[in-house]
Amino acid sequence: MKKFFLMIVAALCCMTAVAEENEKLVAITFDDGPNTTTTVKVLDVLEENGVVATFFLCGKDINSSTRAVMKRAVKIGCELENHSRSHSHMSGMTADKIRMEANFTSHAIRQVSGRSPQFFRAPYLDTNDLMYETIDLTFIGGFDVKDWDPAVTAADRSQGVLTRVKDGDIVLLHDFKGNDATAEALKTIIPELKKQGYTFVTVSQLFKQKGVTPTPYAKITYHNVYDK
């Protein structure tokens, strides 16, 4: 009887593992914050829908005014990651300047959140070998729907995500000041993806739950967790 019971438990564990492996996951991410206007509106939508996201922050915008916004993001389960200090093209910088851009922002995030960033998104997704060799964080990209363009409506932004998203994707959106159409688009994106069976996770959760170990210095920018 004991042996039979152990066989049943093992079978259930295997079924659970397969179910988790087959679960559809998506990581919604935001660039160019933090601020006390649009970032707040994005957080409002996330919190109302009970989902998490990842914010890639610019160090120049981390200050006494935005600390509370960052702390709120962490409190509801979001992650804060590195998007450089100045949001400049970095492929033409020296190693020392590249290191300064990344280290400044990692330090600022750590001071507020108590957690060191694990991931880096290059401004304009502009990378080169020197950046990969210098920055000790995993590079993250994602697919975007041109939500940085004010001519792209909230409806177009939501449709762009919904028609392209697939399991393991990283969605690249922006929460810079005044980009409120993206916050509005989230009101459609989140419920619709939930209906399609997606679970919203942070970038670190995406890698962990899919059993993928990201590696710094690997000279790769991940747009999907399964990228090689």
Side-chain angles (χ1 to χ4, degrees):
M1 177 65 73
K2 182 178 180 181
K3 183 178 180 180
F4 177 74
F5 175 75
L6 291 174
M7 290 173 63
I8 294 296
V9 171
L12 289 173
C13 288
C14 288
M15 289 172 64
T16 300
V18 170
E20 290 178 351
E21 184 178 333
N22 292 335
E23 185 179 16
K24 293 196 296 185
L25 303 181
V26 62
I28 301 290
T29 69
F30 300 91
D31 281 4
D32 301 352
N35 55 69
T36 58
T37 53
T38 302
T39 305
V40 171
K41 292 179 180 180
V42 167
L43 289 172
D44 287 344
V45 180
L46 296 176
E47 196 163 15
E48 286 166 7
N49 286 273
V51 301
V52 295
T54 303
F55 292 83
F56 285 82
L57 308 183
C58 295
K60 64 182 178 60
D61 295 319
I62 298 174
N63 52 51
S64 58
S65 297
T66 57
R67 287 173 65 92
V69 178
M70 294 168 63
K71 287 181 177 294
R72 179 188 173 193
V74 172
K75 185 176 181 180
I76 68 174
C78 296
E79 288 178 356
L80 309 180
E81 302 295 344
N82 194 319
H83 193 41
S84 84
R85 181 191 68 84
S86 64
H87 200 279
S88 303
H89 284 282
M90 296 176 65
S91 61
M93 295 181 181
T94 64
D96 285 344
K97 185 67 183 296
I98 290 169
R99 193 174 295 110
M100 183 278 293
E101 285 277 335
N103 290 349
F104 179 96
T105 300
S106 287
H107 176 75
I109 291 172
R110 186 166 54 249
Q111 289 292 102
V112 176
S113 69
R115 173 186 174 276
S116 296
Q118 303 175 56
F119 303 101
F120 177 80
R121 180 176 278 139
Y124 312 104
L125 298 183
D126 173 28
T127 62
N128 65 2
D129 284 352
L130 183 59
M131 291 171 64
Y132 286 123
E133 293 162 2
T134 303
I135 298 173
D136 62 346
L137 303 171
T138 300
F139 281 57
I140 297 296
F143 78 81
D144 82 284
V145 292
K146 297 184 178 180
D147 76 316
W148 38 264
D149 183 350
V152 179
T153 67
D156 288 338
R157 298 174 194 209
S158 59
Q159 187 67 13
V161 172
L162 296 173
T163 56
R164 291 182 59 184
V165 70
K166 61 183 182 298
D167 179 40
D169 266 346
I170 298 163
V171 182
L172 197 171
L173 299 171
H174 297 78
D175 65 322
F176 57 79
K177 191 172 183 179
N179 197 34
D180 296 347
T182 284
E184 191 65 28
L186 288 176
K187 297 177 183 179
T188 299
I189 292 169
I190 295 172
E192 287 300 319
L193 288 183
K194 282 185 173 182
K195 288 179 184 177
Q196 294 178 28
Y198 281 93
T199 297
F200 293 81
V201 291
T202 62
V203 172
S204 69
Q205 290 169 343
L206 180 64
F207 281 94
K208 182 177 181 180
Q209 293 184 36
K210 289 299 186 181
V212 177
T213 302
T215 307
Y217 307 117
K219 295 187 179 181
I220 179 174
T221 293
Y222 288 91
H223 302 284
N224 180 287
V225 70
Y226 296 118
D227 285 345
K228 301 294 184 183

